[in-house]
C-alpha cells in the first residue's frame, strides 16, 4: 500500500483513491510571464516522478496541470515589453514545454488554460454569491467572504483571527474584511477583460484553479499538489471557495514539494541567486539536473550549488558506467527481483526517491561485480533491471555512449576525438608510449577522459 504525506492532516496516510485503480490529480502549474526557474523544475520533476510511479504500480492516472495565462504579473510584463499579453504567454508556454521536454518531464493528460474557462469561473462565482459566500463590491470587484467558511485555515493551520490582527485594507479595495480575496477583478482602463454580470473584468487567481480542477476532475478528487509557496493563501483559498460552491470535500490528499535554496539561502532575484532552467542546462546536461532534483525526497528542501550539481553528475555517471558496453537482456525475459521489491518499498513510502536511488546504485554495483566475475548473462539481467527501475524515475534511458559524449563543446568534435584515439592506438602499437601519453594528456586538458578496456578505448566528458 502506498503511503503519502497529506499536508492537510500532517501525517502519512494509506492512499485510497476515490475510484479503485484510478487516480485524479491536479497540480498548480506556471504563471507564464517569464522563463521557468529552478523552483518550477522542482515541482515539474517531483510530480512527474509521482505520476510515473503511480502508473508503474498499475494506476490509471489522469494528471491535470494548469496554466495561468492571465494575471497581474503577465499584464505588467506585457506592458513593459510593449507586446500583447497573449503573445507573451504563448511564447512563455512554448519555452516551458521545451524546458520540461529536455528535463524528461512527461506532458500532463490535460493542460487547461485559465482564459479558456471564463464561463466556468463566472458560473462558480454565481454559486458563491447565491450561497452567501461572496459579494459584489461597488467598484465592480467580487470578493469571497472568508468568515462565511468555518473551516478556513484547515490546510495551513492559520487562524482567521490571527490573520485579521494588524491587517489592512488597501484604500482602493472595496472588500469588507482584510482577509477576503478577489474572485473577479474589474478591468482597468486599457486592460484585457471579459464581460460578466458585474461588469467587464477578469478572474482572480485563486478561483481559476477551483474552476479548472473541478471541471476536469470533478467536485472531489484524489490529489492536489504544488510548490511550497502555494500552501497559503492559494491552496487555502481554493479549499474555501470550492467547498462553499459544491458543498463537498474538495481534495482528499494535499501534496507540496520542498523549496529550492541556493548555497543555503532562499532563491531570490533580489539576492542575485535566481537561475532559470535554461541557464542551468547551459552548464549541465539536462539528465544531471533531473538526477539532482530526484535524488532528494520531494518534500525536502534542495540546496542548489555548483558543488552539488557536479556531485550529481559524478553519481549519475557511475550508473551509466555500469551500463556502458553491455546490451541489457530483453525486459520480458527479466522477472521482478529483490531490487524491484526494495525499490517499491522505498517509493511506496511517500515516494522516497532517495531510497529508490540507493537501490539503483546497488544494482549498478551488482552489474560491475558480475562483469568482474565474467558472468555476462547475469550482468545483462541486472542491466535490464537498472534500466527498468531508472525509467520509473525518468533516468537512464539514454544510450550510455550518447550520455558520455553529449555536448562535448570546446574545439574538438566527436570525429576529432576519435581520430586522436586512433592515433594514440597506433602509437601504442608502435611502442611509442611517450606519444600515446601525450595524446591522452592533451585530451584530458580539453576535458576528455579515455577509458581503456579489453574491448578497446572509449571516451567521455570530464
Amino acid at each position: 500500500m502506498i503511503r503519502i504525506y497529506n499536508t492537510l492532516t500532517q501525517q502519512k496516510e494509506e492512499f485510497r483513491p476515490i475510484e479503485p485503480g484510478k487516480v485524479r490529480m491536479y497540480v498548480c502549474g506556471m504563471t507564464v510571464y517569464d522563463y521557468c526557474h529552478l523552483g518550477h523544475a522542482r515541482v515539474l520533476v517531483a510530480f512527474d516522478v509521482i505520476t510515473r510511479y503511480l502508473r508503474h504500480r498499475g494506476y490509471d492516472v489522469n494528471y491535470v496541470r494548469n496554466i495561468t495565462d492571465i494575471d497581474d504579473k503577465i499584464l505588467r510584463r506585457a506592458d513593459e515589453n510593449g507586446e500583447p499579453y497573449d503573445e507573451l504567454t504563448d511564447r512563455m508556454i512554448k519555452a516551458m514545454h521545451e524546458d520540461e521536454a529536455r528535463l524528461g518531464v512527461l506532458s500532463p493528460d490535460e493542460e487547461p488554460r485559465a482564459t479558456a474557462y471564463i464561463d466556468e469561473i463566472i458560473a462558480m462565482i454565481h454559486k458563491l454569491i447565491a450561497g452567501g459566500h461572496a459579494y459584489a463590491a461597488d467598484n465592480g470587484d467580487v470578493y469571497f467572504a472568508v468568515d462565511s467558511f468555518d473551516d478556513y485555515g484547515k490546510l495551513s493551520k492559520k487562524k482567521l483571527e490571527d490573520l485579521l490582527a494588524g491587517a489592512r485594507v488597501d484604500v482602493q479595495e472595496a472588500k469588507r474584511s482584510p482577509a477576503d480575496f478577489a474572485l473577479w477583478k474589474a478591468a482597468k482602463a486599457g486592460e484585457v477583460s471579459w464581460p460578466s454580470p458585474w461588469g467587464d473584468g477578469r478572474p482572480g487567481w485563486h478561483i481559476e484553479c477551483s474552476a479548472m480542477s473541478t471541471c476536469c476532475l470533478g467536485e472531489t478528487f484524489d490529489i492536489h499538489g504544488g510548490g511550497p509557496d502555494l500552501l497559503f493563501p492559494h491552496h487555502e483559498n481554493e479549499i474555501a471557495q470550492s467547498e462553499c460552491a459544491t458543498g463537498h470535500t474538495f481534495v482528499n490528499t494535499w501534496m507540496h514539494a520542498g523549496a529550492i535554496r541556493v548555497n543555503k539561502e532562499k532563491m531570490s532575484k533580489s539576492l542575485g541567486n535566481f537561475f532559470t532552467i535554461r541557464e542551468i542546462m547551459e552548464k549541465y546536461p539536462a539528465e544531471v539536473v533531473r538526477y539532482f532534483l530526484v535524488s532528494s525526497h520531494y518534500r525536502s528542501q534542495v540546496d542548489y550549488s555548483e558543488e552539488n550539481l557536479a556531485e550529481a553528475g559524478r553519481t549519475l555517471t557511475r550508473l551509466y558506467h555500469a551500463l556502458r558496453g553491455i546490451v541489457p537482456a530483453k525486459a520480458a525475459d527479466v522477472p521482478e527481483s529483490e531490487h524491484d521489491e526494495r525499490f517499491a518499498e522505498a517509493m511506496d513510502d511517500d515516494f522516497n526517491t532517495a531510497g529508490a536511488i540507493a537501490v539503483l546504485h546497488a544494482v549498478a554495483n551488482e552489474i560491475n561485480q558480475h562483469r568482474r566475475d565474467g558472468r555476462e548473462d547475469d550482468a545483462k539481467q541486472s542491466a535490464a533491471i537498472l534500466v527498468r527501475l531508472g525509467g520509473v524515475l525518468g533516468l537512464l534511458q539514454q544510450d550510455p555512449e550518447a550520455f558520455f559524449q553529449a555536448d562535448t563543446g570546446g574545439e574538438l568534435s566527436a570525429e576529432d576525438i576519435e581520430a586522436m584515439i586512433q592515433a594514440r592506438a597506433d602509437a601504442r602499437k608502435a611502442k611509442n608510449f611517450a606519444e600515446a601519453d601525450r595524446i591522452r594528456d592533451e585530451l584530458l586538458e580539453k576535458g576528455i577522459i579515455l577509458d581503456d578496456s579489453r574491448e578497446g578505448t572509449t571516451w567521455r566528458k570530464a
Side-chain angles (χ1 to χ4, degrees), residues 239-360:
I239 291 173
Q241 63 202 7
S242 299
E243 296 190 358
C244 286
T246 68
H248 302 299
T249 297
F250 179 39
V251 173
N252 288 341
T253 301
W254 285 88
M255 301 178 68
H256 293 89
I260 292 284
R261 295 176 67 82
V262 178
N263 294 318
K264 300 182 179 179
E265 291 186 311
K266 181 180 178 181
M267 187 173 70
S268 168
K269 286 185 177 179
S270 62
L271 294 175
N273 62 1
F274 180 89
F275 302 101
T276 66
I277 298 173
R278 297 186 161 210
E279 289 170 334
I280 294 168
M281 289 194 296
E282 286 177 1
K283 300 178 67 176
Y284 297 94
E287 190 171 358
V288 170
V289 179
R290 183 181 178 96
Y291 182 91
F292 165 71
L293 295 170
V294 171
S295 59
S296 296
H297 190 279
Y298 78 91
R299 283 191 288 115
S300 66
Q301 287 192 344
V302 174
D303 188 41
Y304 171 83
S305 68
E306 297 286 336
E307 180 181 345
N308 289 345
L309 259 294
E311 177 59 24
R314 287 190 290 270
T315 52
L316 181 60
T317 295
R318 286 198 288 271
L319 294 176
Y320 268 112
H321 255 304
L323 294 171
R324 196 173 197 181
I326 188 170
V327 178
K330 291 182 180 179
D333 297 335
V334 182
E336 288 200 358
S337 66
E338 63 178 24
H339 297 300
D340 293 86
E341 293 175 5
R342 289 194 293 113
F343 183 90
E345 183 179 346
M347 291 296 287
D348 282 353
D349 183 14
D350 195 29
F351 309 102
N352 179 8
T353 52
I357 290 284
V359 175
L360 299 188

Side-chain angles (χ1 to χ4, degrees), residues 19-35:
E19 188 176 353
K22 296 187 176 181
V23 178
R24 288 175 282 162
M25 180 168 72
Y26 182 91
V27 173
C28 287
M30 310 307 133
T31 300
V32 285
Y33 71 99
D34 205 343
Y35 292 109

Side-chain angles (χ1 to χ4, degrees), residues 163-173 175-180:
L163 296 173
L164 292 174
R168 297 181 179 179
V169 178
D170 191 296
V171 293
Q172 294 181 332
E173 293 183 325
K175 56 187 180 181
R176 298 170 184 167
S177 167
D180 295 349

